[in-house]
Amino acid sequence: MSARAEPTEITALRADRNAEGVVLSAQIALDLPGAVDDALSKGIPLFFVAEATLLRERWYWYDKELSTATRHLRLSFQPLTRRWRLVVSSSPIGASGLALGQTFDTREEAMAAVQRISGWRIIDSTDFDPEPRHYVNLRFRLDVSQLPRPFQLGVAGQADWNLIASRSVRIGTDTSQR
């Protein structure tokens, strides 16, 4: 366990404008508490959600929300094969839709893939006005509502299962912590 006070923290966040639109990259420090890590090692899948919201600053009113993009991740351990599986989708996993699946030999490789967001396009260039000032809010959390029903009832109110981090960045700036 590291010396950080929070088990989940966005340590680096960058949003850039390019020809395709606005692209987000982030690094998330994620230390799973003992109860969560134990459930994962016993084959219970964990569901994470990354939500990016693009906002335009307005001096006369609340900032205007232009776009919201969501990325769903399911991390699971297959005890029979002793392999880790990560599924990434833009819609809730289990619903119909396109999903990318990767398999890893070690827990460390799988966790590194969960903690890294790279080149995630959150809005197309045709939907984005480059003139005003914009910023992106990123929120990363463990989604306990997708856990098996007995776990949902058992984890209610337990701080170990409340893994959440959020951070904001202006487009074109980098907020790395070193």
Side-chain angles (χ1 to χ4, degrees):
M1 210 59 174
S2 65
R4 287 194 312 273
E6 296 294 322
T8 308
E9 179 183 9
I10 299 172
T11 57
L13 178 60
R14 183 168 181 84
D16 292 311
R17 184 180 305 136
N18 63 23
E20 296 177 2
V22 176
V23 178
L24 183 78
S25 296
Q27 185 66 37
I28 299 142
L30 180 62
D31 290 331
L32 297 180
V36 178
D37 195 34
D38 188 45
L40 180 62
S41 66
K42 290 181 179 174
I44 305 298
L46 295 182
F47 296 85
F48 297 97
V49 178
E51 300 165 324
T53 305
L54 177 68
L55 297 141
R56 182 177 74 209
E57 288 184 351
R58 297 192 293 191
W59 64 270
Y60 56 89
W61 197 247
Y62 294 111
D63 296 343
K64 182 178 181 181
E65 184 177 312
L66 299 177
S67 172
T68 300
T70 307
R71 181 178 278 189
H72 299 266
L73 302 101
R74 181 181 67 204
L75 178 63
S76 60
F77 176 64
Q78 274 76 44
L80 291 176
T81 60
R82 313 247 348 123
R83 308 249 340 199
W84 295 84
R85 178 138 176 91
L86 177 65
V87 177
V88 180
S89 176
S90 60
S91 59
I93 296 169
S96 62
L98 184 64
L100 170 69
Q102 294 176 283
T103 305
F104 300 95
D105 291 328
T106 66
R107 179 189 184 279
E108 290 75 22
E109 292 172 345
M111 288 300 294
V114 168
Q115 296 174 41
R116 182 181 53 252
I117 297 172
S118 179
W120 179 22
R121 185 174 50 188
I122 59 173
I123 191 169
D124 291 328
S125 61
T126 57
D127 302 329
F128 181 70
D129 181 15
E131 292 304 316
R133 294 174 54 127
H134 296 89
Y135 64 98
V136 175
N137 286 337
L138 177 65
R139 184 172 180 237
F140 183 85
R141 63 185 171 86
L142 175 65
D143 187 3
V144 294
S145 69
Q146 293 191 45
L147 290 172
R149 186 67 64 193
F151 272 89
Q152 289 180 24
L153 299 173
V155 303
Q158 291 187 17
D160 281 356
W161 291 84
N162 190 21
L163 300 176
I164 188 167
S166 62
R167 194 157 182 190
S168 297
V169 64
R170 289 196 186 285
I171 294 180
T173 60
D174 189 357
T175 63
S176 298
Q177 292 179 352
R178 299 191 181 163

